[in-house]
Amino acid sequence: MRDRVLGSLLGVAAVEALLEGRNGCMVGEIGGDLRCTSLEETWQKKKPPLDENLLRIFSFLSE
């Protein structure tokens, strides 16, 4: 259920951002708040490595 609610919230926030004239950004949840982050900032940030257990699950499910 949480995924569907979050998807709806992000979708609405993305449409609102476009209606406000903001573009070139990605809507996401940060610390419980919905924020629009510039695409350039998302490319430049180093992401933490994925959890090894998740990688194992992804590999298993993709077969």
Side-chain angles (χ1 to χ4, degrees):
M1 174 80 115
R2 168 94 174 115
D3 290 344
R4 287 178 277 184
V5 172
L6 179 59
S8 297
L9 291 170
L10 292 173
V12 168
V15 170
E16 288 176 337
L18 288 172
L19 291 173
E20 293 169 2
R22 291 185 286 161
N23 54 34
C25 67
M26 178 178 70
V27 176
E29 183 182 30
I30 301 173
D33 296 324
L34 296 180
R35 297 192 188 165
C36 198
T37 304
S38 76
L39 291 176
E40 186 173 337
E41 184 178 338
T42 66
W43 298 325
Q44 293 174 349
K45 267 190 176 173
K46 278 281 193 183
K47 310 291 187 283
L50 287 176
D51 180 279
E52 289 295 321
N53 288 319
L54 288 177
L55 290 173
R56 185 175 55 79
I57 292 169
F58 295 153
S59 175
F60 178 78
L61 293 175
S62 66
E63 291 180 4

